[in-house]
Amino acid sequence: MNVSFIHQDLGIGGAEALIVSMASSIVSPEMSSKTSNKTSNKTSATNGGSNVAIYTTRCDPSHCFSQVKPGGLLCSCVERRGTWIPCNLGGMGTVAFSNLRVWYLGLCLAVDVIFRGRKCDVVVIDVLPTALPLLKLLLPSLPLCFYCHFPDKYLVRNTVNGVQVSKPSLARRIYRYPMDKMEEVCMSSADVVGVNSEFTRGVFRDAFLGMRDVETEVLYPAINLEDFIPPKGGVGRKGRG
């Protein structure tokens, strides 16, 4: 199984933890081999014939998970592309540039598959679905999976306990309208849509009315208990109340 992930920024957030967890579950710590990657001078980590590639525009060794740091389990899987695309211009246009970066990563993956011999059996994209229509057009037989952590159109609202406390300005609403519509249109190109909880599934259906009939699969983020430091003595202190 050859799996390619598209995630625009490999930082240390929950979304990044999911991608790293998924990729790590495919690539065992006892990697059976490393095969040459024709798309670059690096190697792709493999295990039992499974190959992983993580396309991203940013992976700062000082601000990422250990698996993707130099020498880490997934270091050889990271494909940095589009590093020249800015995050914003003077603090403006963050969403527009984020969509551009994701779209460009999808283009890079398609070029690698079509012209450079990269093997890919399935693509997993999260956060923003912008690259899905392009991949569907250029690689129509390739299964596409989108993982929705939470609708991006709701992440920018000024809310307290889920209640919107203020409305954005007219200029911001005009700016966000095509972005929000594009999120739903692009997501419709996915063959499978995953969400991280039943709650998010409900929010997903409310946010994207045109996709209410789309079947969504709940995939809870995995927790690696080995990453937790056990309390001294093996047990915690008893509470007083």
Side-chain angles (χ1 to χ4, degrees), residues 20 23-24 28 36 40 43 53 60 76 86 98 103 108 133 170 175 191 210 232:
V20 169
S24 297
S28 170
S36 296
S40 66
T43 57
D60 185 349
S76 62
S98 294
W103 183 88
C108 291
L170 176 61
Y175 166 68
D191 297 298
K232 294 181 179 179

Side-chain angles (χ1 to χ4, degrees), residues 3 5 16-31 45-47 50-54 65-69 72-75 77 222 224 227:
V3 184
F5 296 89
E16 292 76 34
L18 175 77
I19 296 300
V20 169
S21 177
M22 285 182 174
S24 297
S25 67
I26 299 172
V27 181
S28 170
E30 296 77 32
M31 290 184 294
T46 64
N47 177 34
S50 296
N51 179 290
V52 170
I54 305 175
F65 288 103
S66 60
Q67 292 92 329
V68 293
K69 289 183 177 181
L73 173 65
L74 302 173
C75 177
C77 304
N224 186 359
D227 289 342

Side-chain angles (χ1 to χ4, degrees), residues 49 71 81 121 123 131:
R81 307 291 180 87
D121 298 313
V123 177

Side-chain angles (χ1 to χ4, degrees), residues 2-7 37 39 51-56 77 79 81-82 101-125 131-132 134-136 138-139 142-145:
N2 302 288
V3 184
S4 294
F5 296 89
I6 291 180
H7 184 85
N37 181 356
T39 66
N51 179 290
V52 170
I54 305 175
Y55 283 74
T56 185
C77 304
E79 294 283 351
R81 307 291 180 87
R101 288 191 290 167
V102 172
W103 183 88
Y104 183 76
L105 290 173
L107 177 63
C108 291
L109 172 58
V111 169
D112 286 348
V113 172
I114 297 173
F115 298 107
R116 299 179 180 175
R118 175 177 289 284
K119 295 181 179 180
C120 184
D121 298 313
V122 62
V123 177
V124 179
I125 304 179
L132 289 170
L134 177 67
L135 290 170
K136 180 66 71 175
L138 300 179
L139 304 169
L142 188 64
L144 304 175
C145 174

Side-chain angles (χ1 to χ4, degrees), residues 38-211:
K38 297 180 181 179
T39 66
S40 66
N41 293 324
K42 298 185 301 181
T43 57
S44 295
T46 64
N47 177 34
S50 296
N51 179 290
V52 170
I54 305 175
Y55 283 74
T56 185
T57 58
R58 184 173 182 269
C59 185
D60 185 349
S62 66
H63 189 75
C64 64
F65 288 103
S66 60
Q67 292 92 329
V68 293
K69 289 183 177 181
L73 173 65
L74 302 173
C75 177
S76 62
C77 304
V78 178
E79 294 283 351
R80 293 179 182 85
R81 307 291 180 87
T83 56
W84 51 272
I85 304 176
C87 295
N88 55 63
L89 287 179
M92 301 180 64
T94 300
V95 177
F97 281 107
S98 294
N99 279 288
L100 175 61
R101 288 191 290 167
V102 172
W103 183 88
Y104 183 76
L105 290 173
L107 177 63
C108 291
L109 172 58
V111 169
D112 286 348
V113 172
I114 297 173
F115 298 107
R116 299 179 180 175
R118 175 177 289 284
K119 295 181 179 180
C120 184
D121 298 313
V122 62
V123 177
V124 179
I125 304 179
D126 72 327
V127 183
L128 293 172
T130 323
L132 289 170
L134 177 67
L135 290 170
K136 180 66 71 175
L137 175 65
L138 300 179
L139 304 169
S141 62
L142 188 64
L144 304 175
C145 174
F146 179 74
Y147 190 90
C148 179
H149 302 275
F150 202 77
D152 184 70
K153 64 189 294 184
Y154 283 173
L155 291 175
V156 296
R157 298 183 306 170
N158 185 12
T159 61
V160 176
N161 295 327
V163 179
Q164 190 165 353
V165 295
S166 65
K167 291 184 177 181
S169 64
L170 176 61
R172 185 169 182 81
R173 291 201 300 270
I174 294 174
Y175 166 68
R176 282 293 316 192
Y177 181 80
M179 303 296 172
D180 295 343
K181 287 297 181 181
M182 183 169 61
E183 183 178 13
E184 181 172 352
V185 171
C186 291
M187 202 181 302
S188 64
S189 295
D191 297 298
V192 178
V193 175
V195 293
N196 58 15
S197 66
E198 291 289 350
F199 170 77
T200 303
R201 173 185 275 173
V203 174
F204 174 89
R205 289 173 177 170
D206 290 339
F208 307 115
L209 300 180
M211 299 188 66

